[in-house]
Amino acid sequence: MGRSTDTVRPLRLCPPPLTAVLFIVALFWSVPALADDDVPFPQLEEKMLEMVNEDRAEHGLGPLEQHDCLADVARAHSRDMQQNNFFAHRSPTTGMVKDRLWEAEVRVQTAAENIARNRSLQRAQADLMNSPSHRAAILDPNLTHCGIGVVKNDTDQYVITQVFALPAPEIDIERAGAELLEKLNEARAEQNQPACRASGGLDKIAAAHAAELAEAGEQVPLDLPAKVRAAGLQYRRLSTARVILWDPMQLAEADALVRTAASHLGFGFAKNTKHRHLGYGSVWVVVIMAGN
């Protein structure tokens, strides 16, 4: 980099296909008490976010929203670099940003990270914008939120971390089935398809299997006819869909559900909190389709 800014290539975490699940999640962890010379600079963090948004505005992009959890993640990484005398995306103690986001239990669909060191925030931001890879993270139109952490090291340089992300939508597991069925029936009406009806019995089977998937972190067998018989339900035609994703409401547009001949549907949902590679809070969804 030119001038006196230190940077490294930005870290970007990209989402896999819909039927897998996207990486990254954000962070709320406890942090150690700060020494007097290790105090973050919230006013400077706010100023840097303003500079980021000014750069985005110059390129016709909307502003990034401040995200407190991302700022906690960014600030903790800046502090880690300052205290432990390293400058890298990978921390000897907290790993990569995906690991820090997991530990923070923040649900984000995708994220990117920039780091820099400079005695001037203005020069640091200018040099980041002059680096194509860092610039790409700042100007990514798919990212909507940002958290920035700024601390000062013993050479009077600011140690800066910028974490950008697209947060996952909030999901109310208790209401998700009713909401998804409503949206799905609206889509079916547009295709002149009859409305599907809810089935409490199928919901229980789907919910139990979603919990099994969340525990295993992968697809596990389901003997659906046996489960249906054991529940005292009578359907001649049965099928199921199992997927993990960030927003279950996306299934309201799935052609297989919009055009299904099933008369009844059952839904089950379970959040991933155990399997890091799937992203914290990604949602296993089981849909059971039944008819006679």
Side-chain angles (χ1 to χ4, degrees), residues 161-263:
T161 303
Q162 301 172 334
V163 179
F164 309 93
L166 174 64
E170 293 297 323
I171 299 298
D172 183 344
I173 294 294
E174 297 300 321
R175 294 182 51 82
E179 184 179 350
L180 179 54
L181 181 61
E182 181 180 356
K183 291 180 178 294
L184 181 59
N185 279 333
E186 290 174 357
R188 287 174 63 84
E190 293 177 359
Q191 299 295 324
N192 296 315
Q193 299 287 334
C196 292
R197 286 170 284 174
S199 167
L202 294 178
D203 284 345
K204 291 180 180 179
I205 297 171
H209 189 55
E212 292 175 338
L213 296 173
E215 180 68 25
E218 60 185 4
Q219 298 284 355
V220 296
L222 171 65
D223 188 344
L224 184 56
K227 296 288 187 182
V228 169
R229 287 194 300 270
L233 304 175
Q234 295 183 349
Y235 295 105
R236 289 186 298 171
R237 295 177 301 186
L238 293 166
S239 60
T240 184
R242 299 175 290 178
V243 66
I244 183 168
L245 61 161
W246 290 109
D247 183 4
M249 296 308 118
Q250 290 176 288
L251 291 177
E253 301 175 0
D255 192 64
L257 296 180
V258 173
R259 298 185 178 278
T260 182
S263 60

Side-chain angles (χ1 to χ4, degrees), residues 35-55:
D36 290 342
D37 59 353
D38 189 29
V39 177
F41 295 85
Q43 296 87 355
L44 297 183
E45 293 166 356
E46 293 174 7
K47 178 60 178 177
M48 176 158 263
L49 181 58
E50 291 176 5
M51 290 188 286
V52 166
N53 283 331
E54 288 170 1
D55 287 331

Side-chain angles (χ1 to χ4, degrees), residues 4-260:
S4 59
T5 297
D6 294 324
T7 63
V8 298
R9 184 175 180 83
L11 182 65
R12 180 172 293 272
L13 297 151
C14 299
L18 175 65
T19 53
V21 89
L22 315 122
F23 262 134
I24 298 330
V25 212
L27 191 56
F28 245 148
W29 53 14
S30 60
V31 297
L34 300 179
D36 290 342
D37 59 353
D38 189 29
V39 177
F41 295 85
Q43 296 87 355
L44 297 183
E45 293 166 356
E46 293 174 7
K47 178 60 178 177
M48 176 158 263
L49 181 58
E50 291 176 5
M51 290 188 286
V52 166
N53 283 331
E54 288 170 1
D55 287 331
R56 287 175 61 90
E58 289 180 3
H59 293 81
L61 298 171
L64 298 174
E65 294 183 34
Q66 161 71 17
H67 193 294
D68 291 341
C69 296
L70 296 180
D72 287 342
V73 175
R75 195 175 297 124
H77 188 55
S78 290
R79 186 182 305 117
D80 186 16
M81 290 190 289
Q82 185 270 337
Q83 291 177 337
N84 295 298
N85 195 29
F86 74 96
F87 183 66
H89 291 292
R90 181 179 295 278
S91 163
T93 55
T94 67
M96 303 295 282
V97 66
K98 66 182 179 67
D99 302 305
R100 297 186 282 275
L101 291 170
W102 171 272
E103 294 297 333
E105 301 182 1
V106 182
R107 299 179 67 244
V108 303
Q109 299 180 60
T110 186
E113 179 182 81
N114 286 343
I115 60 176
R117 289 186 299 199
N118 198 294
R119 288 185 172 85
S120 163
L121 258 63
Q122 288 79 3
R123 289 198 298 270
Q125 180 64 18
D127 285 349
L128 287 169
M129 285 296 293
N130 286 330
S131 164
S133 52
H134 297 87
R135 175 191 180 98
I138 294 168
L139 300 182
D140 189 329
N142 298 311
L143 301 176
T144 59
H145 291 71
C146 181
I148 295 174
V150 178
V151 301
K152 186 174 282 190
N153 64 18
D154 55 9
T155 62
D156 222 28
Q157 289 181 310
Y158 294 116
V159 182
I160 302 158
T161 303
Q162 301 172 334
V163 179
F164 309 93
L166 174 64
E170 293 297 323
I171 299 298
D172 183 344
I173 294 294
E174 297 300 321
R175 294 182 51 82
E179 184 179 350
L180 179 54
L181 181 61
E182 181 180 356
K183 291 180 178 294
L184 181 59
N185 279 333
E186 290 174 357
R188 287 174 63 84
E190 293 177 359
Q191 299 295 324
N192 296 315
Q193 299 287 334
C196 292
R197 286 170 284 174
S199 167
L202 294 178
D203 284 345
K204 291 180 180 179
I205 297 171
H209 189 55
E212 292 175 338
L213 296 173
E215 180 68 25
E218 60 185 4
Q219 298 284 355
V220 296
L222 171 65
D223 188 344
L224 184 56
K227 296 288 187 182
V228 169
R229 287 194 300 270
L233 304 175
Q234 295 183 349
Y235 295 105
R236 289 186 298 171
R237 295 177 301 186
L238 293 166
S239 60
T240 184
R242 299 175 290 178
V243 66
I244 183 168
L245 61 161
W246 290 109
D247 183 4
M249 296 308 118
Q250 290 176 288
L251 291 177
E253 301 175 0
D255 192 64
L257 296 180
V258 173
R259 298 185 178 278
T260 182

